[in-house]
Amino acid sequence: MADAGIIAFAGSPIDRADHIRVNEEKLGALMNWKARVLSLDGLLPQMGDDGGLVWGTLADVDEKAELVFLGMMQVDGGEPKAHFAAVPDEGATGPAYAMPRAWQAIQQLSPEDLAIYGGARSLIDWHARHQFCAKCGGKTTPAKGGWQRNCDPAQEGDGGCGAQHFPRTDPVTIMLVENDGKLLLGRQPRFPARAFSALAGFVEPGETIEEAVAREVHEEAGLRVHNVEYIATQPWPFPSQLMIGCYSQTDETEIALDVEELEEARWFTREEVEFAMNSIGNDEGAFNAPPPAAIAHSLLKWWLDKTA
């Protein structure tokens, strides 16, 4: 992996402890007064006076709520304790950019807390949105500490099919495109004013990361790229994606914009990118750069370091 600096939502200090979550007896023994439960308002984190995550106990959770075992983590240098999160009544109902409180939390939480919250949010959101079996429509129930859901064959009615379901992560390529010292950046209609970022798109079935990069750039901007290089990845919990950061080159400059995907795409010089990265939040320069929590920010920083 290239050095892209600190990646937001990565680096969780929690040990996921697979040997515990697959053992009901061991897991049950940890569900005591020592266990900690992440305090949430739906899918949003509760923030303490110190700006960090707030943890409660099992006594704070509705007895009917589904619990997810996040893993084991030391607290204040002491022995590792079991950490849980409760599944909310509803999953995500909109994209991240429509959640101002979520963006506020992203900016305030420490890197460790952000990684803990991101992993928990992805997991409990998946549970909230997968209460029923995709195969037969039967009711599903948590298994393996919440890292699986099973279609219960013993449920009332015709019974379930017994299918097993696992938390889902969707791979997304996000890529820089360079031509003769300039970078191609685009903006979607939903972006804030003047905001530009790297092009991005989901990896489709039957293609490699390199093929996904080439296809997305050609579809969105009409350019053919080569020398695709992997830079870094970022877990993105809105709702649950793995952003695969890449760099590519092109010999072409004429943009053929896909107006269904992008509102605008432009070439920016190194000087314009550097100024934007040093002026975040000031509405100055040629464009507004992505915020530090986005991997696009890390990719731009990597490129500036690479071309220094």
Side-chain angles (χ1 to χ4, degrees):
M1 181 181 75
D3 183 8
I6 297 175
I7 302 293
F9 296 106
S12 173
I14 289 185
D15 175 1
R16 301 188 182 202
D18 180 71
H19 66 289
I20 293 176
R21 66 192 191 197
V22 299
N23 188 309
E24 292 186 8
E25 184 176 345
K26 288 183 178 180
L27 187 58
L30 291 172
M31 299 182 73
N32 53 40
W33 63 273
K34 294 182 179 180
R36 303 211 304 171
V37 180
L38 184 61
S39 296
L40 297 165
D41 179 8
L43 290 170
L44 293 168
Q46 298 280 5
M47 311 282 286
D49 293 338
D50 60 355
L53 295 174
V54 174
W55 295 90
T57 68
L58 291 173
D60 301 317
V61 182
D62 187 324
E63 60 181 16
K64 296 181 180 179
E66 295 180 348
L67 281 176
V68 169
F69 174 61
L70 301 177
M72 304 295 294
M73 182 173 64
Q74 283 188 322
V75 179
D76 297 329
E79 65 178 14
K81 294 183 179 180
H83 287 69
F84 296 86
V87 177
D89 293 333
E90 295 183 358
T93 56
Y97 64 84
M99 305 173 187
R101 286 181 60 193
W103 281 109
Q104 184 181 20
I106 287 173
Q107 296 169 9
Q108 292 181 356
L109 290 173
S110 69
E112 283 194 355
D113 275 355
L114 193 58
I116 293 170
Y117 166 64
R121 186 195 191 281
S122 289
L123 192 56
I124 62 175
D125 179 50
W126 175 79
H127 278 279
R129 293 185 293 110
H130 290 78
Q131 296 287 309
F132 296 92
C133 178
K135 183 177 180 181
C136 75
K139 184 79 170 105
T140 60
T141 55
K144 293 186 177 179
W147 293 85
Q148 180 175 318
R149 292 191 74 88
N150 294 337
C151 183
D152 186 3
Q155 62 187 279
E156 294 182 6
D158 296 333
C161 65
Q164 298 177 337
H165 304 277
F166 301 91
R168 140 176 208 166
T169 297
D170 299 315
V172 177
T173 54
I174 179 166
M175 46 276 178
L176 300 180
V177 181
E178 181 177 1
N179 173 278
D180 194 24
K182 295 182 179 181
L183 279 187
L184 176 73
L185 301 175
R187 58 171 283 107
Q188 299 179 12
R190 66 179 187 236
F191 281 9
R194 304 183 73 254
F196 280 77
S197 186
L199 304 189
F202 288 97
V203 179
E204 295 186 347
E207 66 181 359
T208 65
I209 292 173
E210 293 83 358
E211 290 170 337
V213 168
R215 175 183 54 76
E216 284 290 342
V217 174
H218 189 257
E219 287 178 356
E220 295 187 358
L223 302 171
R224 299 189 183 279
V225 300
H226 53 83
N227 294 348
V228 176
E229 180 181 349
Y230 162 76
I231 306 302
T233 56
Q234 177 188 45
W236 185 251
F238 301 101
S240 186
Q241 299 164 357
L242 181 65
M243 307 299 293
I244 306 169
C246 297
Y247 164 81
S248 64
Q249 296 174 313
T250 181
D251 300 323
E252 303 170 352
T253 59
E254 186 173 348
I255 299 169
L257 194 67
D258 178 0
V259 294
E260 296 296 326
E261 293 287 340
L262 297 177
E263 181 178 84
E264 186 179 1
R266 289 165 49 193
W267 292 103
F268 293 94
T269 66
R270 188 186 187 284
E271 290 73 21
E272 289 173 325
V273 173
E274 185 173 31
F275 188 92
M277 289 287 283
N278 291 329
S279 307
I280 290 180
N282 294 336
D283 283 341
E284 298 177 358
F287 71 101
N288 288 349
I295 192 175
H297 181 97
S298 299
L299 293 176
L300 290 177
K301 182 179 182 302
W302 170 86
W303 184 73
L304 289 174
D305 292 342
K306 172 181 179 293
T307 56

